[in-house]
Amino acid sequence: MAEAERPNHLLHVFSTFAVGGPQTRFTSIANALDGRYRHSVLAMDGNHAAKVGLDPRVDCKFEAMPVVKSGGISLANLRNARHVLRRLRPNLLCSYNWGAIEWSLANWVSPVCPQIHIEDGFGPDESPDRQQWRRATMRRLFLSRCVHVIVPSRVLYNVAIEKWRLAESRMLYIPNGIDCERFAMAPDAALVSQLGISESDLIVGTVAALRPEKNLLRLLRVFAGLPPERPAKLVIVGDGPERARLENEAARLAVAHRVVFAGALAAPERILGRFDVFALSSDTEQMPNSVLEAMAAGLPVVATDVGDLERMLASDNASFVFPTRNEAEMVQGLALLLGDASLREQLGNQNRKKVRAEYSLATMVSRYDEVFEALTSR
């Protein structure tokens, strides 16, 4: 194929391409747009584990470069990033989150190509109300040259305008979307049995990386606070650096015999359908895919009031979204759902209808395709 006939080339820069929300969204979009674009993915930490989610037919190459870790801007990183840009000559640069902020500066003077920046939220050291001055200032300066800054939540949209002072004309709100049919499947009976779950067990479940900002310690405390007449099991799907600490806390709370650490699952739909209630206990989120997946599985949700959670859920389920500081109310809400099968079914059905109507994979892919097409056809 002649060079002029080849699909346009997108360079995607992540701080890490380990399995996570932004990485999963990228693989979903790339798979759906197979053949429309060529992709290169560069992970600043060299971790490309999320590539397992890519369809082998997608034209995607994985890049590496030396990275200097520093508390500020590294001239070496800027030089290396500029070298990569000049070597690859992509039609569009897509940077993701704070970890790739230096690439906006590398492409600032005499830009090699247009740039968009996709921002998904914050780590445990920031929140919408608690912004680091240095980071907010750098975002204001560096992201002002991007053609668009894309965010998946209304909360983050407002932060970008009010705290980072980005021009509203540059901002795009594109909510996450999922393949709803994929998460509507029946649970995998063999996996359910392997995890020691019986037909009579009431299951509170969550899917999360075991990292501090997910605050699964909070979920363990809430679960341990349930009244004795609600003898449920808690299933935690995911892995990460907090696992040993969580196992120790479950033992300290005397609930270890009712907590199942399922580990990471490449296909969480194998277990979602067996949950009775989905729980999210994070300190920070914007628009978590795990909640969209739970909604598609027809589950009611108990969650902390972070990001767009209240907006995402069906209106009746929004009353089960609680302030992060109020674990007692979260216990009461979870106990109420576990004790009322009819209410669980009602909320689950409403959530399923809402995710299908508003957060489909096709809608999200179409929005991103419009952005990619407009900027690469210049």
Side-chain angles (χ1 to χ4, degrees):
M1 183 182 294
E3 183 67 30
E5 297 173 346
R6 298 183 72 190
N8 284 318
H9 181 200
L10 313 183
L11 171 60
H12 306 267
V13 180
F14 295 83
S15 59
T16 181
F17 203 64
V19 177
Q23 297 81 4
T24 298
R25 181 184 57 224
F26 163 74
T27 58
S28 296
I29 292 170
N31 290 343
L33 294 176
D34 178 30
R36 292 271 291 137
Y37 305 95
R38 292 177 291 134
H39 304 275
S40 292
V41 171
L42 189 148
M44 303 286 283
D45 66 352
N47 186 338
H48 292 112
K51 68 181 181 182
V52 297
L54 274 173
D55 188 310
R57 295 172 296 181
V58 174
D59 185 350
C60 185
K61 294 180 172 57
F62 293 88
E63 297 287 335
M65 78 171 203
V67 175
V68 175
K69 294 183 179 180
S70 67
I73 298 299
S74 163
L75 292 178
N77 288 346
L78 294 178
R79 285 195 300 269
N80 291 334
R82 188 72 180 177
H83 174 75
V84 170
L85 286 168
R86 287 174 170 166
R87 175 170 59 84
L88 295 179
R89 291 285 171 182
N91 299 101
L92 179 65
L93 169 62
C94 308
S95 55
Y96 295 77
N97 296 315
W98 171 253
I101 195 76
E102 288 174 313
W103 285 73
S104 298
L105 188 54
N107 196 46
W108 186 312
V109 179
S110 184
V112 173
C113 61
Q115 179 184 2
I116 61 173
H117 182 80
I118 299 95
E119 187 71 38
D120 285 277
F122 317 106
D125 53 348
E126 285 189 289
S127 71
D129 298 322
R130 192 183 73 254
Q131 291 285 289
Q132 291 188 19
W133 178 86
R134 182 178 68 87
R135 289 190 180 185
T137 301
M138 290 172 69
R139 285 172 172 131
R140 181 182 314 147
L141 292 174
F142 299 163
L143 300 184
S144 64
R145 293 297 184 94
C146 295
V147 180
H148 295 301
V149 175
I150 300 175
V151 295
S153 78
R154 290 295 184 187
V155 166
L156 196 51
Y157 186 95
N158 292 334
V159 167
I161 292 172
E162 296 168 8
K163 304 288 178 65
W164 305 344
R165 300 179 190 173
L166 296 180
E168 193 165 359
S169 59
R170 294 187 185 275
M171 297 299 305
L172 287 180
Y173 162 63
I174 304 181
N176 292 336
I178 62 165
D179 179 354
C180 295
E181 292 301 328
R182 173 185 166 193
F183 295 95
M185 65 179 283
D188 182 334
L191 175 61
V192 170
S193 175
Q194 177 186 329
L195 294 175
I197 300 171
S198 69
E199 290 186 11
S200 61
D201 287 331
L202 270 174
I203 302 297
V204 179
T206 194
V207 179
L210 308 190
R211 299 195 303 263
E213 66 269 24
K214 302 300 182 180
N215 205 336
L216 292 168
L217 292 170
R218 173 185 288 126
L219 180 55
L220 285 172
R221 292 192 297 268
V222 168
F223 179 72
L226 289 171
E229 61 269 25
R230 299 284 179 261
K233 284 186 176 179
L234 173 62
V235 176
I236 297 174
V237 177
D239 214 339
E242 288 272 286
R243 178 158 181 165
R245 186 181 181 196
L246 293 168
E247 290 174 335
N248 290 337
E249 182 68 2
R252 188 189 72 80
L253 294 168
V255 295
H257 62 294
R258 294 192 289 124
V259 178
V260 178
F261 287 91
L265 289 178
E269 63 270 24
R270 294 174 60 205
I271 190 65
L272 273 175
R274 182 57 188 83
F275 294 172
D276 294 287
V277 179
F278 186 88
L280 180 135
S281 54
S282 299
D283 288 330
T284 179
E285 297 280 359
Q286 292 305 319
M287 193 184 187
N289 281 331
S290 62
V291 171
L292 295 179
E293 293 164 3
M295 293 169 68
L299 297 177
V301 175
V302 170
T304 45
D305 188 8
V306 289
D308 277 11
L309 258 295
E310 275 195 296
R311 293 182 178 92
M312 292 168 61
L313 296 166
S315 57
D316 288 347
N317 197 155
S319 61
F320 290 88
V321 175
F322 303 102
T324 56
R325 65 183 179 279
N326 202 330
E327 293 180 13
E329 286 189 8
M330 200 169 179
V331 171
Q332 293 172 6
L334 182 56
L336 175 59
L337 284 175
L338 290 173
D340 193 333
S342 176
L343 179 59
R344 294 198 301 270
E345 182 178 10
Q346 172 192 331
L347 296 182
N349 286 336
Q350 291 176 5
N351 281 338
R352 183 187 290 115
K353 289 178 182 177
K354 181 162 187 180
V355 75
R356 286 174 176 267
E358 299 183 22
Y359 304 119
S360 72
L361 176 64
T363 299
M364 177 186 71
V365 169
S366 176
R367 292 287 307 281
Y368 274 95
D369 189 24
E370 288 174 4
V371 174
F372 296 159
E373 174 65 22
L375 296 181
T376 57
S377 60
R378 291 182 169 187

